[in-house]
Amino acid sequence: FAATGVDKTSCVFSRLFVVWEEGNVTRLTRQSFTPSGGTPLTMPTPDYMIPAVLLEPFSGITMPSLTEFISIVCQGAMIFGGVFPFIPQYLDIKKSGNADGFSTFVCLNLLVANILRIMFWFGRHFELPLLAQSIIMVFTMLALTEICVRVKHRSEILASKEHKFTDFDRAYFWKWTYFTSYLQFTAVFTVVVGLMTWLFLDNMYYVETIGFLAVFAEAMLGAPQFYRNFVNKSTHGMSKKMVGMWTCGDCFKTGYFIVRQAPAQFWICGMLQVGIDISIFLQVYCYRNKAAIS
């Protein structure tokens, strides 16, 4: 403006706005205004004045409804919600350097359950958020197992004989010395179940059976922890936050299964899982004044 000598207060500027009608872009609106603060003039721009190439990127845009938004949030909760209950337990073990209060058989339970659920998906496609949840849970359980093994290996005086998966000693199953043994078991189990699923994929009875075993194993998630608490007559070392998140997550998950009409195996075993969670909370109350047995 300085170079041309034009008074910018006398100029009129325009800006374009996208107009939404019934969730779709229908036209553009030009709003004119002056820098001096004059009254803006709003007028619709006729469609024939807007090149079609400019409107094309907006043609498929729709505003998500409230129902769709809630559905997206619920799916996100299903994918990542199962991981959060184990974060307090992981942090407690890392901070205290003691994993005695947590049963690593919980990790075994969830590894088996989620690997079976992944195989079940190939025979009967259920919702992708549930499949994604299973994949993420497998890696989460491996991480939790790793820190338990590392802490025990560091804190305990090991016997002269080290225990490995390749020893095939039933007395020390899932009590191996090194984390590599747990990885070997997970890999072997995945390959064996995957091969059987490939061979019997067209067999309805096999597919339904692994689907039931998957959700039943997950429903028994709290059983190893319940048994450990019962033997010790104490819940010392077990994260109460973890169990609380288990309960909230399982209630939400069971309701999600029912609303989304998931296979019957899912919501029936979900109700069983909620019952076990409540039983562990009863143990917390019953053993509140008792110390752990060394």
Side-chain angles (χ1 to χ4, degrees):
F1 291 103
T4 59
V6 177
D7 182 7
K8 64 181 179 180
T9 59
S10 62
C11 297
V12 177
F13 299 89
S14 296
R15 53 189 175 186
L16 294 177
F17 294 89
V18 178
V19 177
W20 299 81
E21 287 185 2
E22 298 181 356
N24 296 303
V25 175
T26 57
R27 66 181 188 277
L28 300 181
T29 297
R30 175 186 292 123
Q31 184 183 74
S32 302
F33 64 95
T34 62
S36 59
T39 303
L41 175 63
T42 303
M43 56 180 296
T45 302
D47 289 342
Y48 64 82
M49 295 181 61
I50 305 172
V53 69
L54 295 179
L55 288 176
E56 184 176 356
F58 301 100
S59 59
I61 298 178
T62 58
M63 292 293 287
S65 64
L66 179 60
T67 303
E68 292 173 340
F69 177 76
I70 294 176
S71 177
I72 293 172
V73 172
C74 290
Q75 290 175 7
M78 284 299 302
I79 294 174
F80 300 103
V83 176
F84 291 116
F86 296 96
I87 295 177
Q89 184 68 70
Y90 185 95
L91 296 177
D92 286 349
I93 295 174
K94 185 176 181 180
K95 181 179 179 180
S96 64
N98 190 332
D100 291 340
F102 175 73
S103 174
T104 54
F105 283 92
V106 171
C107 300
L108 172 63
N109 190 307
L110 280 179
L111 280 172
V112 171
N114 285 281
I115 291 172
L116 288 175
R117 183 190 285 185
I118 292 171
M119 299 304 167
F120 178 50
W121 183 86
F122 289 99
R124 184 176 177 183
H125 292 344
F126 48 83
E127 289 193 342
L128 288 178
L130 298 178
L131 176 63
Q133 180 203 45
S134 296
I135 296 173
I136 294 174
M137 187 61 71
V138 168
F139 289 100
T140 301
M141 290 302 100
L142 289 175
L144 190 55
T145 301
E146 188 278 331
I147 193 173
C148 289
V149 173
R150 174 158 42 95
V151 165
K152 289 182 178 181
H153 186 79
R154 185 176 61 225
S155 61
E156 296 179 355
I157 300 176
L158 299 176
S160 57
K161 181 181 178 180
E162 296 177 342
H163 307 289
K164 301 178 181 179
F165 168 68
T166 52
D167 296 334
F168 302 107
D169 190 343
R170 293 178 58 185
Y172 290 95
F173 176 76
W174 208 252
K175 299 176 183 178
W176 302 304
T177 306
Y178 298 104
F179 179 62
T180 51
S181 293
Y182 297 86
L183 291 178
Q184 290 169 356
F185 168 81
T186 304
V188 170
F189 181 78
T190 303
V191 170
V192 171
V193 178
L195 180 60
M196 293 181 60
T197 302
W198 180 68
L199 292 174
F200 299 103
L201 191 61
D202 296 330
N203 189 311
M204 179 187 67
Y205 297 102
Y206 172 82
V207 172
E208 293 298 327
T209 299
I210 63 171
F212 173 77
L213 292 176
V215 292
F216 181 75
E218 185 175 0
M220 300 303 291
L221 162 66
Q225 190 64 54
F226 179 90
Y227 178 75
R228 189 180 189 88
N229 296 341
F230 176 77
V231 171
N232 291 342
K233 296 298 185 292
S234 171
T235 58
H236 179 75
M238 181 194 73
S239 173
K240 280 71 173 179
K241 294 179 181 178
M242 177 186 70
V243 181
M245 291 183 180
W246 277 357
T247 307
C248 295
D250 293 339
C251 290
F252 169 80
K253 181 171 60 177
T254 303
Y256 181 89
F257 291 156
I258 295 173
V259 172
R260 301 294 294 182
Q261 298 181 345
Q265 299 102 315
F266 284 78
W267 61 265
I268 292 175
C269 292
M271 295 175 67
L272 174 61
Q273 195 168 357
V274 172
I276 295 177
D277 294 340
I278 295 174
S279 299
I280 295 177
F281 265 120
L282 292 176
Q283 286 183 320
V284 174
Y285 176 78
C286 294
Y287 302 145
R288 62 189 184 279
N289 296 323
K290 298 180 181 180
I293 297 175
S294 59

